[in-house]
Amino acid sequence: MAFADAQASAVIVSGKVPATVKAVGAVTKGDALGFSGGWKRALATTGSVVQMRCVAAEDGVDGQDVSVYFEQAVLEGRLSGMTAGGALYVAEGTSNGMYTQTAPTTTGDANTIVGYALTTTKAVITPNANVDSVA
């Protein structure tokens, strides 16, 4: 089965005590969020990189305060087709807030490891465990 991020049906199995941030744009539970003129969905694409800082703990709309995890969170129900033990990255293109197991390689893309697959459908996300990096 190929890797997929449904950006829906996320269940956060465990996580440290959540903090609250004001969303810029809509967010979905489990989204990778970063800060660039406000708290928004992260993206790895050159020219519009938003490095991941936290995981959305709930759905929210633009301007709403949403709970987030800045430290480790275990996520399931949203990702599928992962290779257990494989690294996770923030996705590129127009996949704001989504994850991928394919390391971004275009010069200037964010290629920071943001978590690891525990099984084919369950991952541990550690948004601040690694230093920001770009290809």
Side-chain angles (χ1 to χ4, degrees):
M1 178 164 54
F3 179 89
D5 181 345
Q7 206 165 18
S9 305
V11 175
I12 298 182
V13 178
S14 65
K16 301 284 185 177
V17 177
T20 302
V21 300
K22 188 169 296 297
V24 173
V27 300
T28 302
K29 185 177 187 177
D31 275 352
L33 302 181
F35 191 90
S36 179
W39 292 99
K40 59 177 81 171
R41 291 177 172 173
L43 190 64
T45 303
T46 302
S48 56
V49 168
V50 178
Q51 294 274 5
M52 183 179 184
R53 296 288 179 253
C54 55
V55 177
E58 61 185 342
D59 295 348
V61 296
D62 185 44
Q64 179 181 353
D65 287 341
V66 294
S67 296
V68 297
Y69 294 103
F70 280 94
E71 297 183 43
Q72 185 181 80
V74 177
L75 180 66
E76 65 181 350
R78 169 179 169 143
L79 306 172
S80 61
M82 293 186 290
T83 300
L88 288 170
Y89 306 87
V90 171
E92 302 180 76
T94 58
S95 299
N96 299 58
M98 296 175 79
Y99 303 92
T100 183
Q101 280 199 297
T102 304
T105 58
T106 303
T107 301
D109 281 353
N111 64 357
T112 307
I113 294 172
V114 298
Y116 292 92
L118 300 173
T119 69
T120 59
T121 60
K122 187 176 186 179
V124 60
I125 309 298
T126 53
N128 289 313
N130 296 305
V131 176
D132 290 349
S133 63
V134 293

